[in-house]
Amino acid sequence: MSVWNPDNIRDVAESVGIGTLGDEVLQTLCSDIEFRLSLVLEEALKFMRHRKSGTLSTQDVTQALRVLDVEPLYGYESTRPLKFGEASIGPGQPLYYVEDEEVDFEKFINAPLPKVPREIAFTAHWLAVEGVQPSIPQNPSTADARNQELVPKGPGANPHMSAINGDNVTVKPLVKHILSKELLLYFEKICGALVDESSDEYRLAAIASIRTDPGLHQLVPYFVQFIAEKVTHNLKNLFILTQMMHLAMAMLENDSLYVDPYIASVIPPILTCLIGKRLGPISNPANPVDPTSSYPLRSLAASILRSICKKYSKTSHTLKPRLARTCLKHFLDPTKPLGSNYGGIVGLAAIGGPEVVRALIVPNLSDYDRLILREAMEDESRRKEAEVITEALVEALGSLEADGVGMANGHANGDAELNQKLKEKVGDLVGTRLLDLDRPRLVKAILEA
């Protein structure tokens, strides 16, 4: 016996013009209907389970009909619950139907039309050109950046009220940079070993680990910030400054670390150690300090700049010119101490080699000798620094000899006119020191520069 009522099939048949149906035909149609309904329900239950629900919905049945390649039922695609009304067609024969929502045509017609959506279009623009953001409408302006700083933090904060009150609060980053406990412990041990003056073994082991360990990618920004903080707050401690320079050099020598995005943050501490106005302890009568004690640190910083320019100047075309401009300014400024002049000299020689020496140092040597170096030589308290600067200038000019072409005939000391030209070009002090070296090829390279 079939569960489906045969009278329903007989009513449908009469509605389409079929007057009589045999009992066998009705029984066969009832069985076929039950089979097809079971297929639809099984597929609909699969969709219900996949969406992690315990209630069968009209969407599940529609998806099941689409899978079975059956035309779906129209009019039941609604996420809102259906409201059923009840009507009576006779005693004990209730009829349930879905109540339709009544729509007022006058309100519907007079309602404002929605805005026409904009057409989809694509355009390209430069987000940044060599690290500089162009001022175009597509990029955020400085006013937008200032307004972003005023946005309050916290889940319940009201940005409008905060902006009105003028509270200058910063926004917490949405993504936190989380370090593992092992990396955090490693970072603390490395930082402790670098600033520990009592243990050379641990300090050298820490530098060697940073230079060779391939798994320190997440610690690069932390090391950069550590270098900046230590250099800023320890300008009188040459030991700390030297160790920070060794740390920066070790990071640059580690081929496994991607330091390119942090070069702009690493250079300022290095320039501070190169051309800083006051580095090391302050000298006083009770505790005299060697005025050239900071010069090895400045030379180390210059060697780091040489490595940076050699490795990253191809990706940033403005790196060398900016560094050379900064070093040249401190080299020629008579108001700067001799330590800054020395840092500018060794920095220029390290940044560009013979080309920069020929273009920037040689043309300014005569004025530097006359205005700064000669006066420092006459001052007993600054003579030692002036001698070190003279040696640095001679060493920088020595790079022109290897870069020069051709050989000089005879000796420079034997030609008085040649000696006079040399002293006019580089100054008396540096010229005399060059003539004492008896290197005619170097003298010719300088005169041809």
Side-chain angles (χ1 to χ4, degrees), residues 69-227:
D69 198 17
V70 179
E71 186 177 2
L73 300 176
Y74 300 104
Y76 294 95
E77 284 289 340
S78 176
T79 56
R80 294 176 297 176
L82 298 178
K83 295 181 180 181
F84 291 93
E86 181 180 355
S88 178
I89 59 175
Q93 294 183 354
L95 177 65
Y96 297 95
Y97 62 94
V98 179
E99 293 183 351
D100 295 328
E101 182 181 359
E102 295 183 358
V103 179
D104 189 347
F105 279 101
E106 185 176 356
K107 292 182 180 180
F108 185 77
I109 294 173
N110 296 331
L113 295 175
K115 293 182 179 180
V116 179
R118 302 174 65 180
E119 294 184 1
I120 299 176
F122 297 94
T123 181
H125 70 277
W126 289 103
L127 180 63
V129 180
E130 293 187 357
V132 180
Q133 179 178 285
S135 298
I136 57 178
Q138 289 84 354
N139 288 336
S141 62
T142 55
D144 297 335
R146 281 194 224 99
N147 294 335
Q148 193 67 19
E149 293 177 356
L150 298 176
V151 177
K153 53 186 178 179
N158 188 344
H160 305 289
M161 294 301 296
S162 179
I164 293 174
N165 296 333
D167 299 333
N168 189 8
V169 293
T170 57
V171 183
K172 288 184 178 180
L174 297 178
V175 180
K176 294 182 179 180
H177 195 182
I178 300 176
L179 291 177
S180 64
K181 292 183 179 180
E182 292 78 8
L183 277 179
L184 186 59
L185 181 62
Y186 176 87
F187 177 73
E188 293 175 353
K189 293 293 184 181
I190 291 292
C191 295
L194 290 175
V195 298
D196 186 8
E197 300 185 34
S198 61
S199 178
D200 294 341
E201 182 180 358
Y202 286 161
R203 192 165 59 252
L204 295 176
I207 294 296
S209 176
I210 296 173
R211 185 179 291 114
T212 57
D213 199 328
L216 305 179
H217 304 282
Q218 289 184 307
L219 291 179
V220 172
Y222 294 90
F223 281 131
V224 172
Q225 184 179 6
F226 178 69
I227 293 173

Side-chain angles (χ1 to χ4, degrees), residues 37 56 92 101 249 310 375 428:
L37 283 177
L56 192 66
E101 182 181 359
M249 177 64 83
K310 185 178 180 180
E375 181 182 349
D428 292 338

Side-chain angles (χ1 to χ4, degrees), residues 139-392:
N139 288 336
S141 62
T142 55
D144 297 335
R146 281 194 224 99
N147 294 335
Q148 193 67 19
E149 293 177 356
L150 298 176
V151 177
K153 53 186 178 179
N158 188 344
H160 305 289
M161 294 301 296
S162 179
I164 293 174
N165 296 333
D167 299 333
N168 189 8
V169 293
T170 57
V171 183
K172 288 184 178 180
L174 297 178
V175 180
K176 294 182 179 180
H177 195 182
I178 300 176
L179 291 177
S180 64
K181 292 183 179 180
E182 292 78 8
L183 277 179
L184 186 59
L185 181 62
Y186 176 87
F187 177 73
E188 293 175 353
K189 293 293 184 181
I190 291 292
C191 295
L194 290 175
V195 298
D196 186 8
E197 300 185 34
S198 61
S199 178
D200 294 341
E201 182 180 358
Y202 286 161
R203 192 165 59 252
L204 295 176
I207 294 296
S209 176
I210 296 173
R211 185 179 291 114
T212 57
D213 199 328
L216 305 179
H217 304 282
Q218 289 184 307
L219 291 179
V220 172
Y222 294 90
F223 281 131
V224 172
Q225 184 179 6
F226 178 69
I227 293 173
E229 290 180 355
K230 288 298 180 181
V231 170
T232 303
H233 298 96
N234 295 274
L235 294 178
K236 296 181 180 179
N237 192 330
L238 290 178
F239 172 79
I240 297 294
L241 297 178
T242 303
Q243 296 310 311
M244 294 304 102
M245 293 300 100
H246 284 305
L247 173 58
M249 177 64 83
M251 291 172 58
L252 294 171
E253 292 178 351
N254 192 335
D255 296 333
S256 301
L257 298 183
Y258 185 60
V259 195
D260 297 48
Y262 308 99
I263 291 299
S265 302
V266 173
I267 288 179
I270 299 174
L271 284 177
T272 300
C273 294
L274 177 68
I275 54 180
K277 192 173 182 180
R278 293 284 183 266
L279 298 178
I282 300 176
S283 179
N284 54 65
N287 184 23
V289 178
D290 184 4
T292 62
S293 58
S294 65
Y295 284 30
L297 171 64
R298 298 179 190 271
S299 300
L300 176 60
S303 65
I304 298 175
L305 283 185
R306 180 189 295 113
S307 300
I308 291 176
C309 292
K310 185 178 180 180
K311 192 172 182 180
Y312 301 102
S313 60
K314 294 181 180 179
T315 57
S316 177
H317 301 293
T318 61
L319 178 62
K320 275 188 178 182
R322 286 185 294 174
L323 291 176
R325 192 182 305 115
T326 302
C327 293
L328 181 63
K329 178 181 177 182
H330 286 76
F331 166 44
L332 299 178
D333 192 348
T335 63
K336 300 291 183 182
L338 293 179
S340 297
N341 297 155
Y342 175 82
I345 294 169
V346 296
L348 286 172
I351 290 170
E355 296 179 359
V356 173
V357 172
R358 185 182 294 107
L360 299 180
I361 294 182
V362 173
N364 297 295
L365 266 183
S366 178
D367 294 336
Y368 181 78
D369 179 272
R370 176 171 50 85
L371 298 175
I372 301 176
L373 194 58
R374 191 178 305 173
E375 181 182 349
M377 279 292 188
E378 296 173 356
D379 188 352
E380 187 66 29
S381 61
R382 300 195 297 167
R383 180 175 298 175
K384 186 175 182 180
E385 290 184 271
E387 292 177 352
V388 176
I389 290 177
T390 304
E391 293 297 331

